[in-house]
Amino acid sequence: MIAWRTVVSGRCLSIVVLLLSLNAAFSQVASARSEKLPTTQQDIVQEVLIGRNVDAVERVKRALELAPPSTRQDFFQLAIRTCLALDDFECATFLGSRDFLAGLPPDSIRPSTVGHAFWLWSYIQMATGNHQATEDKFERDFPIALANPLVNPVLFADLQLLAAGRSRLVLDFESSREHVEKALAATLSVVDQGFDAARLIVRISNQLLENYDVERAMRLVASAMPLLVKIPPDSFLAYEFGHLMVALLRYRKDFVGAADGLRHILSTLDRLQLKPELKAHLVAHTYNELLASEALRGNLTAARDLLPSHPLMA
């Protein structure tokens, strides 16, 4: 693992303390979840952790379709969390095109369920380029009753990250940074959801980079490293984390480290269970990044040697 030499003081010191508590939570998350979740939900979570993305999505969709009214809201929320944690747009549109809550008494639907439905709707709107539809809710009338950071900090943080992306699309970087700050504050309050905390730290760091807050992203990643190194190595989150580290190394002009990181990402992709067309796209993109890194480090021989194995040469 890359060693980061970073001075952490003042506000960053408090982040370190909070992240150490998240690190402890991540260490306990597997056993805690096995105690709390029914068998089917355990299986879905485990498949996400070991990178069986296709199996996890298909299993959660089947479980939701077969769930009785007494557990349908639990599986509805789990399905949304699974699809959006894996950034699976096809899965999200499947959930968004069906009314899985039909038949439930309106007064029995929990605020957290409505909050997850709003997260799903917002994700689809953003992914399809209809970010204007989310402006009122994200900027003027945020549904705090459905996504209260004191009750459900993970949902709140995920919504804030979507809001940050929307603000950046309209070039409102000040608003985007405010949303990222809120997402980070909520993430640091997470107690018993270590995997989600790590996922949010990775995505918050990426948003900091997109907002040109490079130094803050580096400090956050350095502070969170005890938590981030426990990301399951075969998971999709490991792929996301790998690309984040490569981006940070490039900002430091460490193209040797970036090339090594990209080779590790290719190994991760080889183990990940993804749909063939998605895997082919991600592998080709990573090869392109690797070729650029080898060229930027001045190793033109290595860059030429990569060309025959590039997916586009097949």
Side-chain angles (χ1 to χ4, degrees), residues 125-171:
Q125 298 306 310
M126 292 290 295
T128 54
N130 189 23
H131 61 84
Q132 298 91 342
T134 65
E135 180 178 1
D136 286 342
K137 291 297 182 184
F138 280 158
E139 301 300 336
R140 289 187 282 275
D141 189 25
F142 188 84
I144 195 69
L146 306 179
N148 191 311
L150 300 178
V151 177
N152 196 334
V154 172
L155 176 59
F156 178 85
D158 276 308
L159 285 171
Q160 291 295 334
L161 289 179
L162 281 178
R166 193 216 70 84
S167 295
R168 196 163 46 250
L169 285 173
V170 297
L171 304 180

Side-chain angles (χ1 to χ4, degrees), residues 13-305:
L13 182 59
S14 64
I15 292 179
V16 172
V17 174
L18 288 165
L19 286 168
L20 287 175
S21 67
L22 287 178
N23 178 40
F26 204 172
S27 302
Q28 301 167 1
V29 69
S31 60
R33 285 193 169 181
S34 65
E35 293 173 1
K36 294 179 181 178
L37 297 180
T39 301
T40 302
Q41 296 185 44
Q42 285 184 44
D43 294 341
I44 294 166
V45 171
Q46 185 61 28
E47 284 171 344
V48 170
L49 296 179
I50 64 174
R52 305 292 296 177
N53 292 18
V54 176
D55 289 346
V57 167
E58 291 305 314
R59 187 187 290 269
V60 79
K61 285 159 61 175
R62 286 196 305 271
L64 177 57
E65 290 174 327
L66 298 174
S70 60
T71 61
R72 193 172 303 157
Q73 293 189 66
D74 294 329
F75 278 104
F76 180 69
Q77 293 185 35
L78 177 62
I80 292 173
R81 290 199 305 272
T82 301
C83 294
L84 272 55
L86 298 177
D87 203 13
D88 191 327
F89 177 72
E90 184 177 334
C91 175
T93 54
F94 169 83
L95 297 177
S97 64
R98 291 162 174 78
D99 189 359
F100 288 104
L101 303 180
L104 295 180
D107 58 356
S108 70
I109 297 179
R110 302 190 292 264
S112 60
T113 301
V114 182
H116 277 78
F118 175 66
W119 181 24
L120 175 66
W121 174 82
S122 302
Y123 174 88
I124 293 172
Q125 298 306 310
M126 292 290 295
T128 54
N130 189 23
H131 61 84
Q132 298 91 342
T134 65
E135 180 178 1
D136 286 342
K137 291 297 182 184
F138 280 158
E139 301 300 336
R140 289 187 282 275
D141 189 25
F142 188 84
I144 195 69
L146 306 179
N148 191 311
L150 300 178
V151 177
N152 196 334
V154 172
L155 176 59
F156 178 85
D158 276 308
L159 285 171
Q160 291 295 334
L161 289 179
L162 281 178
R166 193 216 70 84
S167 295
R168 196 163 46 250
L169 285 173
V170 297
L171 304 180
D172 188 348
F173 284 87
E174 181 179 354
S175 175
S176 181
R177 291 185 176 105
E178 288 178 0
H179 287 299
V180 173
E181 290 288 339
K182 292 176 182 178
L184 179 57
T187 300
L188 294 176
S189 72
V190 173
V191 176
D192 60 353
Q193 296 168 280
F195 182 81
D196 278 322
R199 175 180 63 81
L200 287 167
I201 290 293
V202 169
R203 294 186 178 181
I204 288 168
S205 300
N206 276 316
Q207 294 243 12
L208 287 171
L209 291 179
E210 291 178 23
N211 285 338
Y212 305 106
D213 293 328
V214 178
E215 183 178 352
R216 287 204 62 212
M218 288 185 173
R219 288 177 179 272
L220 178 58
V221 171
S223 302
M225 197 57 72
L227 175 71
L228 298 176
V229 295
K230 294 188 177 183
I231 291 173
D234 295 331
S235 65
F236 186 73
L237 181 56
Y239 164 81
E240 291 187 67
F241 178 47
H243 269 293
L244 169 63
M245 294 298 291
V246 168
L248 293 175
L249 286 166
R250 283 179 168 174
Y251 273 110
R252 298 172 64 207
K253 301 188 183 304
D254 183 357
F255 300 112
V256 175
D260 290 342
L262 287 162
R263 287 186 170 85
H264 184 73
I265 291 171
L266 287 171
S267 176
T268 301
L269 282 172
D270 187 56
R271 299 191 302 272
L272 268 173
Q273 185 201 51
L274 300 168
K275 291 185 177 179
E277 60 275 14
L278 175 60
K279 177 172 281 195
H281 168 74
L282 296 179
V283 169
H285 171 73
T286 305
Y287 260 99
N288 290 341
E289 296 291 309
L290 179 56
L291 280 168
S293 293
E294 292 291 8
L296 287 169
R297 69 184 279 195
N299 193 345
L300 299 182
T301 301
R304 282 193 294 268
D305 290 343

